[in-house]
């Protein structure tokens, strides 16, 4: 695979290869040469044809160069996969967006709101609330309220949990919601709950459902909840910033926690994947639910997923009382599994290890960015990537092809 810009392919696709080269130069100088990131892999395609492909830096602290087929902890980039799985069940007639969550998860039948865990909800939590994060659930990592402190105490955010999915739901059901469903937007364990919904409706655990219904049909051979023994040498180290802003190891690739199967399969953040695999998943979305003859969803379903579903058509700035690094809030809506720009119509999401993807359905662009640094708010690389690619467009597409 070429490391850099395929200049002929870029020109043929209506992109400026010099500007794409300039974007790579910026990433090299700003993030790799400075030591801010240990490594990065980027793939940009238009009309599904790769125009830019780069894999640079050290995959591990021991110095091995990053491989084209490296494996990364994609964390919340798991959420779109879980959302697709759920929408497949919607199309199969097993559930609907307005189905009360308690119909499938009866443990949620008597949820309460607020610190005192006494006030009744004003509206029942529905499946759409899980998809768009208006459920009233939260994340311990939010660090804003006494409720999310209780999430941290119970370890409800952890990627590999010893509890079963039923135990996860039972523990969650004992805690109050931050607000009544639909009242606000709050990034949360909603998609983990959605994963349990998929398991209960399908009668399969999430690993089996993903593998047989999504990954095998799409040819995603490197995406799973556990790194196989034959994949270990491809697994990257992950870093975090310490209190002094220095990079320190968070998880070693050779001895990664992702080599062991947890009892709970996190539909909100548990997967490992590769750039090539996630590009296939993104191509399926860009094509309206189909890839290489495998039809996972109908085009109208994918179009609905990438529309804004926040109440009243508002943006995150209006509906959220907190901030989170995965999205800018002004002019940003939220669909059924990812954020979307109300103006450009791009839809996207990322993971806490600073991974990121975006799809522009009008310009027919896909970007997949992988690195491994906690937290994802450390640097503005995601916004720089999207801006750099959009600035490289020479020939614009006319309309959104659905």
């Amino acid at each position: 695979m070429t490391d850099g810009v395929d200049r002929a392919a870029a020109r043929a696709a209506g992109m400026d290869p010099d500007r794409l080269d300039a974007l790579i130069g910026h990433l090299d100088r700003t993030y790799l040469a400075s030591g801010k990131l240990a490594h990065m892999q980027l793939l940009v395609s238009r009309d599904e044809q790769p125009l830019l492909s780069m894999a640079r830096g050290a995959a591990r602290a021991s110095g091995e160069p990053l491989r084209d087929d490296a494996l990364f902890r994609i964390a919340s980039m798991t959420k779109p996969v879980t959302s697709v799985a759920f929408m497949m069940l919607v199309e199969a007639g097993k559930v609907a967006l307005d189905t009360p969550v308690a119909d499938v998860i009866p443990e949620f039948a008597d949820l309460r709101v607020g610190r005192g865990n006494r006030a009744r909800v004003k509206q029942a939590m529905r499946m759409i609330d899980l998809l768009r994060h208006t459920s009233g659930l939260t994340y311990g990592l939010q660090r804003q309220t006494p409720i999310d402190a209780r999430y941290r105490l119970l370890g409800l955010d952890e990627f590999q949990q010893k509890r079963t999915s039923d135990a996860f739901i039972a523990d969650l059901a004992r805690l109050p919601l931050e607000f009544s469903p639909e009242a606000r937007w709050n990034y949360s364990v909603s998609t983990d709950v959605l994963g349990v919904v998929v398991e209960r409706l399908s009668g399969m655990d999430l690993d089996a459902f993903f593998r047989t219904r999504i990954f095998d049909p799409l040819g995603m051979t490197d995406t799973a909840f556990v790194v196989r023994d034959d994949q270990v040498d491809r697994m990257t180290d992950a870093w975090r910033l310490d209190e002094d802003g220095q990079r320190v190891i968070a998880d070693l690739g050779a001895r990664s926690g992702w080599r062991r199967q947890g009892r709970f399969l996190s539909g909100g953040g548990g997967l490992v994947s590769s750039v090539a695999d996630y590009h296939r998943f993104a191509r399926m979305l860009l094509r309206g639910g189909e890839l290489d003859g495998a039809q996972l969803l109908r085009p109208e379903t994918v179009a609905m997923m990438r529309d804004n579903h926040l109440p009243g058509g508002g943006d995150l700035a209006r509906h959220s009382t907190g901030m989170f690094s995965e999205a800018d809030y002004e002019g940003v809506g939220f669909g059924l599994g990812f954020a979307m720009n109300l103006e450009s119509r791009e839809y996207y999401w990322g993971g806490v290890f600073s991974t990121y993807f975006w799809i522009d359905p009008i310009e027919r662009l896909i970007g997949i960015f992988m690195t491994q640094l906690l937290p994802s708010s450390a640097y503005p690389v995601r916004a720089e990537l999207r801006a750099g690619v959009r600035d490289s467009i020479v020939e614009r597409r006319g309309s959104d092809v659905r």
Side-chain angles (χ1 to χ4, degrees), residues 207-230:
D207 178 67
F209 189 98
F210 283 177
R211 186 176 65 253
T212 60
R213 301 290 302 277
I214 298 175
F215 299 153
D216 286 352
L218 294 182
M220 295 172 64
T221 57
D222 286 327
T223 307
F225 287 100
V226 176
V227 178
R228 303 187 308 266
D229 288 344
D230 65 322

Side-chain angles (χ1 to χ4, degrees), residues 80-232:
V81 179
T82 304
S83 301
V84 164
F86 176 82
M87 295 307 292
M88 293 171 74
L89 297 176
V90 171
E91 286 195 352
K94 294 183 178 292
V95 68
L97 293 179
D98 62 356
T99 298
V101 175
D103 284 6
V104 180
I105 300 182
E107 296 95 322
F108 280 15
D110 193 32
L111 292 174
R112 303 300 173 99
V113 180
R115 261 179 93 170
N117 202 10
R118 295 176 181 174
R120 293 187 178 275
V121 298
K122 295 179 181 178
Q123 178 171 303
M125 186 191 300
R126 298 174 296 156
M127 297 299 175
I128 191 172
D129 293 311
L130 298 177
L131 286 153
R132 67 187 181 185
H133 295 281
T134 55
S135 64
L137 298 167
T138 191
Y139 262 136
L141 57 81
Q142 297 279 11
R143 296 184 179 273
Q144 295 182 9
T145 70
I147 296 174
D148 64 48
R150 294 171 70 180
Y151 276 58
R152 290 194 298 279
L153 183 65
L154 291 172
L156 292 169
D157 294 8
E158 294 174 5
F159 296 118
Q160 282 93 23
Q161 299 185 28
K162 294 181 179 179
R163 55 170 66 88
T164 63
S165 58
D166 287 347
F168 170 80
I169 292 296
D171 286 342
L172 199 56
R174 284 192 282 269
L175 300 180
L177 299 177
E178 294 277 11
F179 51 84
S180 193
E182 200 176 337
R184 302 205 308 266
W185 185 90
N186 188 52
Y187 195 48
S188 71
V189 299
S190 288
T191 317
D192 287 298
V193 176
L194 195 71
V196 179
V197 170
V198 170
E199 290 185 331
R200 292 189 180 184
L201 288 174
S202 68
M204 306 166 69
D205 70 31
L206 213 52
D207 178 67
F209 189 98
F210 283 177
R211 186 176 65 253
T212 60
R213 301 290 302 277
I214 298 175
F215 299 153
D216 286 352
L218 294 182
M220 295 172 64
T221 57
D222 286 327
T223 307
F225 287 100
V226 176
V227 178
R228 303 187 308 266
D229 288 344
D230 65 322
Q231 296 175 310
V232 171

Side-chain angles (χ1 to χ4, degrees), residues 299-334:
E300 54 267 31
T301 299
V302 175
M304 178 172 60
M305 291 179 72
R306 57 183 173 82
D307 279 342
N308 183 24
H309 287 270
L310 293 178
D315 63 6
L316 293 182
R318 170 183 167 188
H319 287 284
S320 176
T321 56
M323 293 296 288
F324 195 77
S325 65
E326 305 294 347
D328 300 318
Y329 281 24
E330 194 73 37
V332 174
F334 209 89

Side-chain angles (χ1 to χ4, degrees), residues 225-260:
F225 287 100
V226 176
V227 178
R228 303 187 308 266
D229 288 344
D230 65 322
Q231 296 175 310
V232 171
D233 61 338
R234 297 159 54 197
M235 184 66 170
T236 52
D237 286 352
W239 285 263
R240 62 178 176 83
L241 294 183
D242 65 15
E243 293 179 355
D244 298 321
Q246 300 299 309
R247 274 197 298 111
V248 296
I249 289 291
D251 184 62
L252 289 168
R255 300 196 300 271
S256 174
W258 275 262
R259 294 192 64 183
R260 300 180 295 276

